[in-house]
Amino acid sequence: MRQTLHKCNCLRNEMHHFIQNIHSYVMCEVLETSWAKLQAGWRSCTDLDEVIRDHQRYLSCIEEGAFLAPKTQSILTTLLALFAAAIDFTDLHDQVCTTAFEAIDVLLSEPTGASPFAGSFAECRLQLDQLGAAFQVRLQSLLRALEVQPMLRHLSSDLRFLLCRLDFNGYYEQKRAPPVGERTTRTA
């Protein structure tokens, strides 16, 4: 039970980190900066056409930064897959917690009895491993897309901020690196 709960908590923390940073990126790097640019632009507008143009730029910046523009479809697709994995995790998390509470109730009422929940926890661990692996694959795909973003250079928001937020300590970069024995050494 302890292993399963630990795996569940670790995966929950990783998904929470991801979702929180996507939210923060959109709020701070996209919405707030776009709003500040719009307000600054309005101060210099002399007629209604300029106000409308500035507002159109504002809406375009938000669409692109929130990955809703057609040019960002590949990133949006990956994000939606990651969000779907997080939603799937919530169901699995509920199952793990319910099983844990039932096991605790049984152990408290029959402390010497055999635990009938070992198989259920093993199945939950397997599902957590599969879900965690799928989440990792999708997240690595997103990070690669953000790193090599020549097709996204036209965007008004800077995706380097998102990449930095998601992998601020190099955790995912280390996971992507080949094992020490398989690395090739570069000669100068």
Side-chain angles (χ1 to χ4, degrees):
M1 176 167 50
R2 186 176 299 214
Q3 281 181 321
T4 306
L5 291 173
H6 178 73
K7 276 184 187 255
C8 194
N9 193 42
C10 288
L11 186 55
R12 185 191 67 79
N13 286 338
E14 192 168 346
M15 289 181 173
H16 181 261
H17 167 79
F18 168 75
I19 290 171
Q20 185 177 30
N21 279 287
I22 293 293
H23 175 262
S24 181
Y25 170 77
V26 170
M27 295 301 293
C28 297
E29 305 298 335
V30 177
L31 294 177
E32 286 183 23
T33 58
S34 297
W35 180 249
K37 288 177 187 176
L38 177 64
Q39 287 181 320
W42 278 349
R43 286 188 200 102
S44 65
C45 289
T46 57
D47 63 11
L48 183 59
D49 289 334
E50 288 180 6
V51 170
I52 291 171
R53 256 191 315 276
D54 279 355
H55 190 258
Q56 279 305 117
R57 275 194 294 268
Y58 168 72
L59 293 176
S60 293
C61 286
I62 290 174
E63 273 186 345
E64 290 174 352
F67 309 109
L68 299 174
K71 300 177 243 180
T72 59
Q73 186 65 38
S74 62
I75 290 184
L76 178 62
T77 302
T78 305
L79 283 172
L80 291 175
L82 285 161
F83 294 151
I87 297 287
D88 292 344
F89 171 77
T90 61
D91 295 335
L92 184 55
H93 184 268
D94 286 346
Q95 180 184 350
V96 168
C97 289
T98 301
T99 303
F101 287 129
E102 289 172 359
I104 289 170
D105 286 344
V106 167
L107 289 173
L108 290 175
S109 64
E110 303 169 24
T112 58
S115 175
F117 297 95
S120 182
F121 281 119
E123 176 64 27
C124 287
R125 273 195 307 275
L126 178 64
Q127 290 177 16
L128 282 168
D129 288 341
Q130 291 169 345
L131 189 59
F135 183 80
Q136 273 303 320
V137 166
R138 290 180 181 120
L139 185 56
Q140 291 293 339
S141 171
L142 176 66
L143 293 174
R144 276 191 301 278
L146 293 173
E147 282 176 351
V148 290
Q149 46 177 306
M151 65 179 188
L152 302 174
R153 296 229 189 268
H154 61 281
L155 295 181
S156 53
S157 60
D158 194 344
L159 295 178
R160 290 177 301 173
F161 291 120
L162 178 58
L163 183 60
C164 183
R165 283 177 183 271
L166 291 174
D167 197 17
F168 72 96
N169 64 354
Y171 175 76
Y172 296 109
E173 187 176 334
Q174 289 174 356
K175 283 190 162 204
R176 187 172 48 228
V180 175
E182 294 180 19
R183 291 184 186 154
T184 58
T185 55
R186 295 182 182 161
T187 55

